[in-house]
Amino acid sequence: MDKIQVVFWTQGGNTQAMAEAVGQGIQEAGKEAEVVFVSGASMEALQSANVFALGCPAMGAEVLEESEMEPFVCEVEAFVSGKTIALFGSYGWGDGQWMRDWVDRMEAAGAKVLNGEGVIAHETPDEDALAECVALGKQLASV
């Protein structure tokens, strides 16, 4: 069974709920999901994967979390070219600019971002946002 990594960072649990929904979609599509907090993620597993998902909420002035997720994403940029990835996260203010910037950044590094955009949820993801995450997981599993 194929295993797809879903790597996330969360502070209050909102992005974790989204990560778990992405994982649920992957499993519903018949593949194995490994949903893991960024500090426990295997860079080697991502390097060898054709597809994976990354999740992070907006922090500060709409940026990725700076102590763990940002350095992780910098490493991913070095090998993401040619891979298909899904991006997701929650935000509490602004209009989602952090996600647009993240999508642009990953595409500039050569990744194909599913749907050309990330799935975002304002604050705690509601049923619609979680359903979008499940759908994103199914879509990622079908690549």
Side-chain angles (χ1 to χ4, degrees):
M1 181 177 273
D2 296 322
K3 185 182 288 189
I4 298 175
Q5 304 283 317
V6 180
V7 180
F8 70 95
W9 186 93
T10 193
Q11 183 170 23
N14 294 337
T15 300
Q16 181 174 355
M18 296 176 79
E20 290 168 356
V22 171
Q24 177 186 335
I26 291 167
Q27 291 174 327
E28 287 178 8
K31 303 227 173 147
E32 185 178 348
E34 185 170 353
V35 180
V36 59
F37 192 81
V38 66
S39 60
S42 165
M43 197 59 74
E44 294 77 26
L46 292 181
Q47 288 173 336
S48 64
N50 292 322
V51 299
F52 55 86
L54 300 174
C56 185
M59 302 296 288
E62 286 206 73
V63 297
L64 297 175
E65 188 277 328
E66 295 174 305
S67 65
E68 289 184 272
M69 196 67 182
E70 177 60 35
F72 185 84
V73 170
C74 285
E75 281 190 63
V76 168
E77 278 180 295
F79 63 79
V80 76
S81 184
K83 298 182 185 290
T84 300
I85 63 172
L87 300 176
F88 61 91
S90 62
Y91 67 102
W93 56 91
D95 66 355
Q97 186 61 47
W98 105 101
M99 184 58 72
R100 291 189 294 277
D101 292 344
W102 196 9
V103 168
D104 291 347
R105 180 177 172 186
M106 293 293 98
E107 289 178 340
K112 178 182 184 240
V113 177
L114 281 181
N115 307 315
E117 65 183 8
V119 172
I120 62 175
H122 185 256
E123 301 289 353
T124 303
D126 60 16
E127 286 183 27
D128 290 341
L130 292 175
E132 279 187 71
C133 290
V134 170
L136 189 68
K138 289 179 180 177
Q139 187 180 6
L140 191 62
S142 72
V143 170

